[in-house]
Amino acid sequence: MELTVWRTFVTVCRLGSLSAAAAELNHTQSAVSRQIAGLERQLGVPLLERHARGVRPTPAGEVFRHHAVATLNEADRAVRAARDVRDGTFNRPLAVGATPSLAAGIVPEAIRGLLRRAGSIRWNLLPDLSAHLHHRVITGDLDIAVVTDAPPGLPHDPRLERRFLGLDDMVVAVPVGHPHTGIGPVHIQTLADQTWVEDNDGSAALLRQHAARAGVSARIGLTAADLTGKLALVATGHAIALIPGVLTGALRTGVTTIPLVDPPTRGIYAITPRRDPHPSAALLLDELATAFAAVGQTHTPRQPTEEDTHAAAPRLHDSVTETPRG
């Protein structure tokens, strides 16, 4: 089968239109139609169905599209690898993925260690949620990703190598001036009746599970689009939040942390593809292990700075409108 036809099919599925795919690929619409029809004859099943606004894959087409994307990504990697050998150099950038909290500190630190050891290496860093990063390593978009087993968990996949880096204790982020700062670890019961903010389902599940084990419930009254927004709501006194301990050293002004008694934890892992690993991935794995070990399993709460003191956030109150997540 011609991979060109596979690319045409994947493009049609992505755009949902034969005409749009033809324009992007610089083909005529009739040529795109002939390619799809020929592919359907080869496979013996219809791959597309028409609807009011264009086309969409049939169930068989969706299955084929999934495998076609993986095959095309692998083919692109093969071409790049062959050209690197021809040129006598290896120019493929190291594509690194990490969850937002890990991308805020530990991963950049590990990359700095990698560059000290290996010299100049082209690289890029993509923050995302663990499930998305896992998928992107499988499809070849990423060479390595640093992920967590926070709910809904981290699936096992035979196409990936997985290295455990350590456990991360969750802590509570609060505005500077919060009455419970500086008194050591606290029980979740002490904070459960305050307004909490969450930015993703995994962190919310950890919070609810931890509270339930203590026989209380945490009132998640606000939601944020991402980690930055979550910390902004904490800094301005609207809520408190459960955050990864590894983030403690990278907190914004106006936010400090409180350790919990028997805190919820999450495992931190680095995942890489079993096939065609990037030559620098193994070195980065070692640097990630070093960077995580330097943080340690016990995280020192961030201490307020002079700037924090001058810009201390107002104390939390119970008048925040409650908008629970569905």
Side-chain angles (χ1 to χ4, degrees), residues 17-87:
S17 165
L18 295 173
S19 59
E24 180 172 304
L25 297 169
N26 199 25
H27 296 332
T28 64
Q29 183 172 338
S30 60
V32 170
S33 297
R34 286 195 300 271
Q35 290 182 52
I36 300 300
L39 187 58
E40 290 177 324
R41 284 194 299 271
Q42 284 183 290
L43 297 176
V45 292
L47 298 175
L48 293 176
E49 60 185 16
R50 295 189 177 277
H51 61 91
R53 296 182 179 178
V55 296
R56 62 186 165 216
T58 63
E62 180 56 31
V63 170
F64 181 75
R65 185 202 64 80
H66 174 77
H67 290 284
V69 169
T71 299
L72 291 169
N73 283 332
E74 188 65 23
D76 290 340
R77 291 167 70 90
V79 170
R80 290 195 300 267
R83 288 174 177 168
D84 289 336
V85 172
R86 178 199 64 190
D87 298 336

Side-chain angles (χ1 to χ4, degrees), residues 101-117:
S101 60
L102 293 162
I106 282 184
V107 173
E109 181 64 28
I111 293 173
R112 181 167 66 172
L114 169 66
L115 297 178
R116 281 197 300 261
R117 291 177 59 184

